Amino acid sequence: MSSFRPARGLSNPHLQSILSSMGPRKVLEPKRAKKLTQNAEEVVIETPEGVKLLAYLTKQSSISSGTAKGLAIILHGWEGSSDSLYVLSTGRKMLTAGYDVLRLNLRDHGNSHHLNDEVFNSTRLQEVIDAVKLACDAWGGQHNVLCGYSLGGNFSVRVARYAHEAHINLHQVVAICPVLHPPTTMEALNNGVSLYEQYFVRKWKKSLNTKLTHFPSLDFGPALPKLKTLDQMNDFFVLGYTDFEQTNDYFEAYAIVGDFLAELSTPTTIITSADDPMIPPAHLKELAPSGYLTVELEQFGGHCAFIKDWRFDSWASDRIVEIAHSSYSQQ
């Protein structure tokens, strides 16, 4: 295993985090991922409960005559999408490594706001469990991998926890900078560099306005302009559009600390950085010990970035491929 060492001048955590989704990568990564995106088929996965999730499937058969090792499912972070730069980076590298690749959108992410009438929230785990199971059943192979970033990493770890009892044909899970303890992450966003809070407020409002264009009967339109902070938005939507009576109860409901992972039975690797400005690593000590859990704490990397060089390429994507290859070889 090689530890992450950024090129000279790229060690600052805020620079790393910003470069993950902005700057030159916005041009470079879509170009590098053309084989992935141009050969992708749009699919809508409908769960037994009638939830529809949008995804993009790229098969080995569309680029070569070889047989796929299995399926790699990739989950984006909050207000990201199947086209997020880190998703494209991981997708193209897993495709090159011999996997079919499914880039899965969470509800109300990407161009999927029209598919379900109720709004997204982070406790909607069952629909993701169902979608991952259906994907593995439909397109899976000898070795199926689920990987996610940030909130998508949190979802991935939670899917791993229930994979065995849900009968999901899943062999390896990798989570990059997963949300560990949501109340702490929200505190870091509220009290840290204001750029991050402003970014998520802007993205979330844009998403909610898109939702209103498809479902104008939702009644939060007049309130949106008055909500200026993440705290205000969270209080409004948690209390008005979930079953939780306290905002903090909602956040605790999708935490993965404590004894949550005590019954983990799917090999899972968490990779995070000591300098992550949004997800402090202190809560790693509060994860339940498990023989199926591996934690890799890197000194640098920012949030979901791990930009290794001035080509703005991602070490995290390389590491996911390494872990998948090692797991596949041990079968």
Side-chain angles (χ1 to χ4, degrees):
M1 180 189 74
S2 57
S3 296
F4 173 63
R5 291 291 180 267
R8 184 183 297 273
L10 284 176
S11 61
N12 182 276
H14 301 299
L15 177 62
Q16 281 276 334
S17 301
I18 291 169
L19 287 175
S20 177
S21 57
M22 301 179 189
R25 282 194 92 201
K26 293 186 72 173
V27 176
L28 294 172
E29 204 54 64
K31 288 183 177 179
R32 293 192 283 233
K34 276 188 175 180
K35 186 180 290 186
L36 174 76
T37 56
Q38 291 180 351
N39 292 284
E41 169 192 0
E42 181 179 302
V43 295
V44 175
I45 301 173
E46 184 168 358
T47 74
E49 295 181 350
V51 176
K52 297 178 181 179
L53 298 183
L54 175 66
Y56 294 89
L57 175 66
T58 310
K59 294 184 176 181
Q60 284 294 312
S61 59
S62 69
I63 63 168
S64 71
S65 58
T67 301
K69 293 177 179 177
L71 180 68
I73 303 172
I74 308 172
L75 278 177
H76 57 80
W78 184 37
E79 293 306 329
S81 76
S82 54
D83 286 330
S84 290
L85 303 183
Y86 49 83
V87 173
L88 296 181
S89 173
T90 301
R92 68 179 172 87
K93 291 181 181 181
M94 289 297 283
L95 188 69
T96 300
Y99 289 81
D100 292 341
V101 175
L102 185 78
R103 294 174 288 132
L104 178 62
N105 285 289
L106 299 170
R107 177 196 293 240
D108 292 349
H109 289 73
N111 297 316
S112 71
H113 297 78
H114 63 291
L115 293 177
N116 305 283
D117 54 357
E118 295 182 345
V119 296
F120 168 82
N121 74 64
S122 298
T123 66
R124 294 188 183 276
L125 176 61
Q126 188 60 51
E127 62 198 50
V128 179
I129 290 174
D130 291 340
V132 171
K133 175 176 169 52
L134 288 167
C136 289
D137 289 346
W139 305 296
Q142 180 182 346
H143 188 253
N144 302 320
V145 181
L146 173 64
C147 46
Y149 286 77
S150 194
L151 182 59
N154 171 281
F155 268 98
S156 296
V157 172
R158 286 186 286 157
V159 170
R161 160 62 182 83
Y162 293 108
H164 179 72
E165 56 199 77
H167 306 291
I168 304 177
N169 186 27
L170 193 59
H171 304 93
Q172 179 70 53
V173 173
V174 185
I176 307 296
C177 298
V179 176
L180 303 171
H181 185 241
T184 301
T185 294
M186 291 310 306
E187 182 180 353
L189 286 172
N190 289 332
N191 299 325
V193 177
S194 62
L195 172 68
Y196 300 126
E197 182 186 23
Q198 293 167 7
Y199 172 83
F200 283 112
V201 167
R202 183 175 68 253
K203 295 265 291 190
W204 192 8
K205 282 191 174 184
K206 181 179 179 181
S207 176
L208 290 167
N209 277 313
T210 300
K211 188 73 173 182
L212 282 173
T213 64
H214 296 289
F215 298 97
S217 60
L218 291 169
D219 58 359
F220 55 73
L224 273 184
K226 305 172 186 176
L227 304 175
K228 305 296 184 181
T229 68
L230 283 178
D231 277 347
Q232 291 171 355
M233 295 184 72
N234 280 318
D235 286 341
F236 179 82
F237 282 98
V238 168
L239 301 182
Y241 294 87
T242 77
D243 294 330
F244 294 91
E245 296 181 357
Q246 299 290 333
T247 304
N248 196 66
D249 291 343
Y250 162 74
F251 288 136
E252 292 287 357
Y254 65 98
I256 61 173
V257 296
D259 62 359
F260 180 77
L261 295 179
E263 297 183 30
L264 181 70
S265 58
T266 299
T268 299
T269 300
I270 290 176
I271 302 171
T272 193
S273 61
D275 63 359
D276 189 325
M278 302 182 204
I279 302 175
H283 285 287
L284 289 171
K285 295 181 292 185
E286 298 178 23
L287 296 173
S290 169
Y292 290 92
L293 178 65
T294 301
V295 176
E296 299 180 5
L297 178 61
E298 300 295 328
Q299 181 179 359
F300 303 106
H303 183 63
C304 292
F306 300 98
I307 306 302
K308 65 181 182 179
D309 54 33
W310 287 101
R311 294 181 65 251
F312 304 101
D313 201 8
S314 168
W315 171 89
S317 298
D318 296 337
R319 183 65 188 131
I320 290 171
V321 172
E322 286 181 357
I323 292 168
H325 176 72
S326 175
S327 176
Y328 176 80
S329 300
Q330 293 172 13
Q331 282 191 322

